[in-house]
Amino acid sequence: MPVNCRETLRLLGGFMDGELDLVNNLEIEQHLRNCAECAARLEDQSALHTLLRSDALHYPAPAHLASRLQSKLRIPSERPHTPPKFRWAAGLSASVCIALAVWAMAARINSANQQKAMVREMVCSHLRSLLATRPTDTTSGDTEQINRLFSGKLNYVPPVVDLKAEGFPLLGGRLDYIAYRPVAALVYRHQTHTVNLFLWPTTSAPLLSPDEATLRGCHLLHWNANGVTYWAVSDLDPQELQIFGLHIQTRVSMTHSLQKCD
């Protein structure tokens, strides 16, 4: 049963964070396409979310915070031979270490949460493609046609390879939107299984071995190479997905590299 405005607004937070199941996610997407009021509410909440994460709301700690931390962490008085200025320095150093440790932990938690949300987005996109009449924006798996699809719409030229000889024919490509960025999605087939390969530029160091994950019955394979991050999503057996990833890495390293567009 399609959701109404009240139900949409109740689930809007979960929809923005990618926490809804596939059915609710699709129903809310349909409602938002047909309801300008709920779509405007989503836009307002998205703008607020962006604002709250902006640097404009980050303020340096006040000067008196150091003295308060120093008083809490002051070296005990039974060390009479330590000059006061060194006790103050030691206390301040300890407070700085604690602050850095808290900041590092918060950064790790935030990064992990962002990656979880991104994984949910890719899994939902993969599942939607399975429900669609045509999971690609192209009419064939021709690599030149796929490159024309991405031309002018992405600020990079993604490496596109066909793995028909290896048992993973390329069905086509489509433009997708993951983690607030437009990305290339290449769609492959292996027997009765579909593989969505999402890729975009990255500055992260290459992964020595691919990362694996599983969500909602889908297996994911992730690696970085030659300035590109790859995410393969499928219901394939994990070992077969690993084989697919190895074929992609081998073919790309032989024939392609990421090119930035002017």
Side-chain angles (χ1 to χ4, degrees):
M1 180 177 180
V3 296
N4 53 29
C5 291
R6 181 178 178 181
E7 187 71 8
T8 296
L9 295 179
R10 184 179 72 84
L11 297 174
L12 204 55
F15 174 78
M16 291 176 57
D17 294 335
E19 297 175 346
L20 302 183
D21 59 79
L22 178 61
V23 174
N24 279 322
N25 199 77
L26 293 174
E27 288 181 348
I28 289 190
E29 283 185 350
Q30 179 65 33
H31 182 81
L32 291 172
R33 283 194 289 267
N34 299 320
C35 179
E37 183 176 349
C38 289
R41 184 70 68 89
L42 173 65
E43 185 176 349
D44 290 343
Q45 290 195 22
S46 298
L48 178 61
H49 184 266
T50 301
L51 178 61
L52 291 175
R53 295 178 60 188
S54 70
D55 293 337
L57 297 180
H58 295 174
Y59 297 94
H64 63 79
L65 179 60
S67 59
R68 290 181 58 188
L69 288 173
Q70 172 204 346
S71 66
K72 297 292 184 183
L73 300 171
R74 188 178 299 278
I75 299 174
S77 56
E78 57 266 20
R79 297 182 180 178
H81 300 295
T82 304
K85 65 178 181 179
F86 291 111
R87 293 204 303 270
W88 181 89
L92 182 57
S93 297
S95 68
V96 170
C97 290
I98 291 174
L100 288 175
V102 171
W103 176 84
M105 181 179 297
R108 285 196 297 270
I109 293 173
N110 183 54
S111 177
N113 289 338
Q114 288 180 349
Q115 179 152 313
K116 288 180 181 178
M118 184 173 64
V119 165
R120 287 194 295 266
E121 287 184 57
M122 288 185 290
V123 169
C124 286
S125 179
H126 169 74
L127 294 175
R128 279 195 299 269
S129 74
L130 300 182
L131 296 176
T133 304
R134 188 160 57 88
T136 66
D137 295 334
T138 57
T139 57
S140 76
D142 179 68
T143 57
E144 292 186 4
Q145 184 181 108
I146 295 172
N147 283 324
R148 286 195 296 270
L149 166 69
F150 296 138
S151 178
K153 298 174 183 176
L154 298 173
N155 62 349
Y156 60 94
V157 180
V160 179
V161 295
D162 190 359
L163 300 179
K164 183 177 181 179
E166 291 83 356
F168 295 89
L170 177 63
L171 301 185
R174 71 174 184 277
L175 287 164
D176 215 312
Y177 200 79
I178 302 294
Y180 306 104
R181 64 164 69 83
V183 304
L186 303 177
V187 183
Y188 293 83
R189 175 65 54 81
H190 180 66
Q191 298 176 356
T192 60
H193 303 276
T194 299
V195 182
N196 273 275
L197 181 65
F198 302 93
L199 57 156
W200 61 87
T202 184
T203 56
S204 299
L207 298 178
L208 297 179
S209 60
D211 288 336
E212 298 180 52
T214 301
L215 181 66
R216 296 179 183 175
C218 297
H219 302 294
L220 297 96
L221 191 67
H222 170 228
W223 71 93
N224 299 332
N226 300 321
V228 186
T229 188
Y230 297 85
W231 285 87
V233 186
S234 179
D235 62 349
L236 269 175
D237 179 85
Q239 290 184 344
E240 291 184 305
L241 194 59
Q242 281 274 6
I243 293 172
F244 169 80
L246 289 174
H247 285 316
I248 289 289
Q249 293 180 66
T250 301
R251 290 287 299 279
V252 169
S253 64
M254 291 172 56
T255 58
H256 290 75
S257 61
L258 185 80
Q259 302 175 32
K260 294 290 184 66
C261 297
D262 295 332

